[in-house]
Amino acid sequence: MVPIGGTIGILGGGQLGRMLADAAAKLGLDAIIFCPEADTPAARTAARHWEGAFNDDEALSAFARACDVVTLEWENVPVAAAETVAATGTPMRPGAKALGVAQDRANEKRFLEACDIPVTPWRTVDSAEALQSALSDFGGRGILKTRREGYDGKGQLRLGAEADALDAFSALGGQPCILEAFAPFEREISVIVARTPDGETATWDVPENIHRGGILRRSQVPAAITPETAATAKAAAVRLVTTLDYIGVLALEFFVMEGGALLANEFAPRVHNSGHWTPEACRTGQFENHIRAVAGWPLGRTELVAPGVVMDNIIGELPLLADLPDGALTLYGKHEVRVGRKMGHIVRLTGL
């Protein structure tokens, strides 16, 4: 167990690292950020910034030895980097296993299926010919995704009956992909779950998530689902983190089909955008419980403190200071505004 005054290492310097560092500070812990870039959002709020490449084993090892425990804010931290940290004897939470599964969509689908968590029908695609065959299996339609590194709608193509397999495969760089069948879902939800080293788990109320252009725009609670569907989703998320022997916060995304059936889309081995409402709307937010979990502390209570909540992302713009929106505003400290870039979010409690 990390003592009060101890040090939490965080791999990655983005906004999630920034919010994790803030949560650590509130618990009397120091956060050290390790990332290749200078002047990142997390580096400007953490107790210390350790600038280094994820493939620099010497720098990573020195960083790990300066920490009581190391965690991450980004699921594409190389597996080898997590293994390097663990080799020093400093706990790496979550560890290389979760990263190895989550970083490859085919591995992820297989692991979810092995946990008895249903997923959309899918096929591996390693060539234009394999894509054509997979499209035939799915009625000529589907979503082509790179097996690695796609996020926020990147690295994927929606293919209709007129799709040219060679052109589509080439458009994603000719790299290994998967093809998913279209899921005629009614809505999207996610489960945010935390797990400690001794197996204690906690979940939050299930948010309903609204995407546009592959980017999350809004999460709202309560979701328009039955208590039975929510319970099934939460049980699946707990089963996933237990099977992974996962430590920290994880998000498992679902499609809700007609009648309430669930198909898992993907999981993220980290704190998640669809849980950004939890610090303002719950007894304990996802960032604090992630720090508690990786530090080996008991988890905080997660129940809502209001009847409902809405979280809206601020994307590709910054609000004018003279016209700040109502609600709890969090800006990420990013210097450059770009189209499609998440710059912050705002949380509004509802039903009060």
Side-chain angles (χ1 to χ4, degrees), residues 109-244:
K109 298 285 189 186
R110 294 185 186 109
F111 196 89
L112 288 167
E113 290 172 329
C115 293
D116 293 324
I117 301 173
V119 300
T120 55
W122 65 283
R123 300 285 187 274
T124 56
V125 172
D126 296 319
S127 66
E129 292 76 20
L131 175 56
Q132 188 61 61
S133 176
L135 282 168
S136 297
D137 290 343
F138 297 153
R141 304 165 64 242
I143 300 176
L144 183 66
K145 299 180 178 181
T146 57
R147 284 178 61 166
R148 292 183 173 273
E149 296 190 348
Y151 67 98
D152 281 351
K154 300 177 178 67
Q156 57 184 267
L157 290 173
R158 191 178 186 93
L159 305 181
E162 74 286 351
D164 182 284
L166 180 58
D167 287 348
F169 189 66
S170 298
L172 292 184
Q175 59 186 301
C177 294
I178 65 168
L179 183 74
E180 294 178 353
F182 281 131
F185 59 87
E186 293 185 342
R187 55 189 43 86
E188 296 177 81
I189 63 170
S190 56
V191 177
I192 314 297
V193 58
R195 184 175 182 271
T196 68
D198 64 3
E200 179 191 3
T201 60
T203 58
W204 286 260
D205 281 67
V206 175
E208 182 171 339
N209 303 317
I210 299 167
H211 294 81
R212 291 201 301 272
I215 301 175
L216 179 65
R217 301 290 171 154
R218 169 173 286 190
S219 292
Q220 56 193 32
V221 175
I225 57 175
T226 65
E228 293 76 18
T229 296
T232 299
K234 289 181 179 184
V238 169
R239 193 159 63 249
L240 173 60
V241 293
T242 301
T243 305
L244 275 172

Side-chain angles (χ1 to χ4, degrees), residues 204-331:
W204 286 260
D205 281 67
V206 175
E208 182 171 339
N209 303 317
I210 299 167
H211 294 81
R212 291 201 301 272
I215 301 175
L216 179 65
R217 301 290 171 154
R218 169 173 286 190
S219 292
Q220 56 193 32
V221 175
I225 57 175
T226 65
E228 293 76 18
T229 296
T232 299
K234 289 181 179 184
V238 169
R239 193 159 63 249
L240 173 60
V241 293
T242 301
T243 305
L244 275 172
D245 195 20
Y246 187 90
I247 299 170
V249 165
L250 174 148
L252 176 57
E253 300 178 356
F254 290 98
F255 299 127
V256 182
M257 312 300 286
E258 184 178 3
L262 294 170
L263 294 177
N265 179 25
E266 61 186 17
F267 72 85
R270 54 169 172 80
V271 288
H272 196 253
N273 194 177
S274 68
H276 283 359
W277 50 274
T278 58
E280 290 82 10
C282 300
R283 298 288 181 190
T284 311
Q286 65 165 348
F287 302 102
E288 178 177 333
N289 261 348
H290 183 83
I291 295 297
R292 284 173 169 268
V294 301
W297 295 14
L299 297 175
R301 291 164 53 185
T302 58
E303 65 266 26
L304 282 169
V305 297
V309 59
V310 173
M311 186 280 298
D312 287 306
N313 277 328
I314 300 169
I315 300 172
E317 62 179 356
L318 285 174
L320 297 175
L321 293 179
D323 189 27
L324 288 176
D326 293 333
L329 177 68
T330 299
L331 298 177

Side-chain angles (χ1 to χ4, degrees), residues 67-71 85-86 88-93 294:
C67 303
D68 292 299
V69 65
V70 175
T71 188
V85 169
T88 68
T90 299
M92 179 73 220
R93 296 170 175 169
V294 301

